Each structure stands twice: as C-alpha cells, then as structure tokens.
Amino acid sequence: MPGIIATIWPATQSKERLMSLYKNGVRILRFNCSHASHEWMTTVLSTAREVERAVGNRFAFLLDTKWPWIRTWELNEPVYYEKWQEIKIVVDQNLVKDEDTMYIDYPHIIKDVEIWSLIRIESWLLDIRVTKKWKDYIIWIAENEAEITSKRHVNLPWIPIKLPWLTEKDKEDILFAIDHNMSYVALSFTRKQEDVQELKEFLYKNWWAHLKVIAKIENQEWIDNVSGIIRNADAIMVARWDLGAEVPVETIPSHQINMIWKAKRKWKKVIVATQMLESMITNHFPTRAEVSDIFYAVSQWADYLMLSWETSMWKYPISCIEVMNKIISEAEKYI
C-alpha cells in the first residue's frame, strides 16, 4: 500500500496536527527549503520528536532542496500584458526603465535562447516567444494576456540551464539535514546522473553517505538521462508542477507511467507529487478527477503519494490525508 508524504508548514506544525497526521498513516514529513528557515524547522522537528515519544514510533524526515530558482523582477504593483504585446527582457536591473521592460535574474538567458524559444512565466500563466536578440536584451511577444505580480517563477523549456546544481544554500540545508538526523534529501531539477553523484559525494565527505537521495524529475533534460538518474538515485519523484511547465502538459501522464516503470525495473522507489488534492486547499471534498488521479497512481505501483500545499497552509490538511487513505485503500482492492 503506498505511503503518504505530508509537507509541513503552519497548517500542520502543531503537536495536535502532527499527531493527527501520524494517526492517519503519515510516516514521512517533508520540509520545503524554498520557504522554511532552519530556525522554524528546528522547532517543528522538536515537536515531531515529542509526538514520536508519545506514540512509541518514529517519523522519517525529508528535506527538499531549493535549487537556484529563476525569477522575474520585484514589483510594487502588478503589470498587465496583452496578447501579442512586445516586451523587452534584460538581465541588468539598471536597464529597467518602464513596465515594457522585464528583468529576469538568469544571467545567461540572452545567450541561451534562440529566436522563437519559449519562455514560460509562472507555469503557463504567461507564455512568451523570443522574436529578436541583441547584446543587452531580447524582444519577446506575449502569446496570451496575463497579469504578472512580483518575483514570478520562470521556466525555459528545452533549454539546458547553466547554473550550479548544489548551491551554497543547498549545502547549508543538507548539512542541517545531517545535523538533525533526517532520512531523505530531494534534489530539485535533477538533469543527469552527475547531479546525483555530486550530492552523494557531498554526503560522503560529510560522513553521511547513508542519507537517501531522491531525484526530482521536473524538467525536459531527464528524458535523455533518466536511466542514469534512476541508476544512481535511491528513489525518484515525479514532480508534476515544474514538469508540466517544461513539457507539453498532455504528455505528463505518459511520462509518469514511463518513469514509474523504468524505476521499478531497477527496484527503485517512486514518489508521485503535485496537485493530487489541490481542490481541497479550499474545499472539504475532492474533485472526481483528483480521485481518479490518485487511484491510477496507485494502480501504476507508485510507492508514495505526496501532498504539498494541501497539508501546508490551508483549511483541510487532515481531511486531505483521510480522503487520500480511502482512495488508496479502494485502489488496493482493485489491483
């Protein structure tokens, strides 16, 4: 029966909520270093240890690395873009003169993109195409209308990203995981087996080679390198949020099946993640499509299903776990 991984944030940080997660079958708690500070994680870990002593059993803790996100500029007010509007992109903030100029903090973007390359802002919120390239900027055209707020996430589908895969922040976070006896580290945006090897070498040098490495598959490059990634990682995560921004969204189900079976043939564990019960962020009941999604993930032999925002900040974190348990149990009967 697949396990459930719950992301911990304010909605589930109390002792009562952590106890409820345990009673409903959650055994792995995820900490997202994109948002969580070391001080906050230390406090929650201490509370989780209290729950462990009370129940006479242990949680496993998963630390999810941040990776160097690519972001747009900081805004005081939202900016509205119309379809087919031409906008200038720069990598020097001093060149931003008006709302028609957008700053993106990836320094190689001008060199890396080609004419008609796609740039995706905040996962399909705004798609843009490059139409002209100059030394200090590129001109793009908006393929849809959208309102953009401050520091939005940027994806560059099919473009190899020239950024270090273990940043200094990632290393500090991993050392924190070592100091606090965590069980798993999830490596964001894994591109190739060398990324996994780099992390394992870092763990080895810090006398913690037994900490398990989960390779998060969430970009286009995994397709050419997935066999090597699976061979070197201890487990993989089908991270469907960014994967859905990097590949055509209609191909996600086939990629999910492909990854699960490639991992199974190597006897590696698989986590399926993202938007499994997204509607329950604000509703007490799931959609029929979400029920089917969980059911089919179980029938595809996923080892773990992960909840992100559903157990992090909103109204029904415990209800999400209860609903997911029921769906998993029903799927187990079927298969």
Side-chain angles (χ1 to χ4, degrees):
M1 183 170 176
I4 300 174
I5 301 173
T7 301
I8 306 304
W9 200 229
T12 43
Q13 67 182 5
S14 68
K15 184 177 180 179
E16 293 74 22
R17 285 287 173 86
L18 289 170
M19 182 68 78
S20 293
L21 291 179
Y22 179 86
K23 289 179 178 178
N24 282 280
V26 173
R27 296 294 181 269
I28 300 179
L29 305 181
R30 171 182 175 250
F31 294 91
N32 186 356
C33 288
S34 299
H35 307 289
S37 68
H38 290 186
E39 293 76 15
W40 178 83
M41 287 191 288
T42 300
T43 301
V44 177
L45 285 168
S46 178
T47 306
R49 302 296 187 198
E50 293 178 23
V51 174
E52 290 178 333
R53 288 191 290 271
V55 299
N57 202 352
R58 296 194 64 185
F59 286 115
F61 301 106
L62 187 162
L63 182 132
D64 201 328
T65 58
K66 180 178 184 292
W67 188 76
W69 278 350
I70 302 174
R71 296 282 186 175
T72 62
W73 63 154
E74 194 163 341
L75 292 167
N76 295 322
E77 299 289 338
V79 176
Y80 179 79
Y81 294 114
E82 295 181 351
K83 189 174 182 179
W84 310 130
Q85 182 177 346
E86 281 197 346
I87 305 295
K88 180 190 293 186
I89 288 181
V90 298
V91 293
D92 181 352
Q93 291 198 67
N94 295 321
L95 297 178
V96 178
K97 305 299 183 183
D98 51 41
E99 292 181 351
D100 288 338
T101 304
M102 176 188 290
Y103 166 74
I104 291 179
D105 64 5
Y106 177 50
H108 308 293
I109 191 170
I110 296 174
K111 186 178 295 184
D112 286 357
V113 300
E114 303 293 342
I115 301 300
W116 301 119
S117 288
L118 174 67
I119 300 173
R120 184 158 282 151
I121 311 295
E122 201 60 26
S123 188
W124 297 87
L125 177 62
L126 176 63
D127 280 3
I128 59 182
R129 293 276 179 183
V130 177
T131 57
K132 299 174 186 175
K133 284 181 61 172
W134 303 97
K135 179 180 178 181
D136 299 322
Y137 63 91
I138 53 180
I139 299 294
W140 57 263
I141 190 168
E143 292 193 340
N144 59 279
E145 59 182 37
E147 185 176 79
I148 299 298
T149 54
S150 189
K151 299 185 77 66
R152 295 299 88 200
H153 186 45
V154 177
N155 288 93
L156 302 173
W158 305 288
I159 296 174
I161 304 299
K162 298 184 182 73
L163 289 172
W165 237 247
L166 273 185
T167 66
E168 290 306 310
K169 172 176 169 48
D170 290 337
K171 292 177 182 178
E172 291 173 6
D173 292 335
I174 293 164
L175 290 174
F176 176 89
I178 291 172
D179 290 342
H180 290 80
N181 198 29
M182 290 190 176
S183 304
Y184 306 99
V185 169
L187 182 62
S188 295
F189 279 91
T190 309
R191 302 166 297 177
K192 53 190 182 298
Q193 65 187 54
E194 287 79 8
D195 298 334
V196 180
Q197 291 167 347
E198 182 181 350
L199 173 53
K200 289 201 167 187
E201 287 170 10
F202 180 79
L203 295 171
Y204 180 80
K205 289 176 182 177
N206 287 278
W207 303 92
W208 212 260
H210 61 279
L211 198 154
K212 302 299 183 186
V213 175
I214 300 168
K216 294 176 67 177
I217 309 299
E218 48 192 335
N219 65 345
Q220 179 69 28
E221 287 182 71
W222 78 270
I223 295 174
D224 298 326
N225 304 304
V226 66
S227 296
I229 292 170
I230 290 171
R231 186 168 56 250
N232 284 270
D234 299 296
I236 66 166
M237 182 188 297
V238 186
R240 300 182 300 182
W241 177 265
D242 276 292
L243 183 63
E246 294 276 335
V247 302
V249 70
E250 67 274 12
T251 67
I252 293 175
S254 58
H255 286 319
Q256 177 173 311
I257 295 171
N258 186 29
M259 281 187 270
I260 290 175
W261 282 104
K262 281 181 179 291
K264 287 298 176 183
R265 286 197 288 269
K266 297 292 184 181
W267 298 96
K268 298 296 177 75
K269 301 289 187 183
V270 183
I271 302 165
V272 176
T274 313
Q275 293 186 319
M276 305 215 77
L277 287 171
E278 188 87 353
S279 70
M280 289 190 70
I281 286 175
T282 53
N283 298 302
H284 75 283
F285 199 77
T287 66
R288 279 67 171 166
E290 288 167 337
V291 172
S292 297
D293 181 35
I294 294 169
F295 189 99
Y296 288 123
V298 176
S299 67
Q300 291 162 8
W301 299 96
D303 296 285
Y304 295 93
L305 306 181
M306 192 176 90
L307 296 170
S308 300
W309 290 112
E310 298 97 328
T311 57
S312 298
M313 297 180 64
W314 307 98
K315 292 182 177 182
Y316 307 108
I318 306 305
S319 296
C320 285
I321 303 296
E322 293 170 346
V323 166
M324 181 168 273
N325 265 321
K326 291 178 181 178
I327 303 167
I328 290 172
S329 295
E330 186 63 28
E332 286 282 321
K333 293 177 189 176
Y334 172 76
I335 64 175

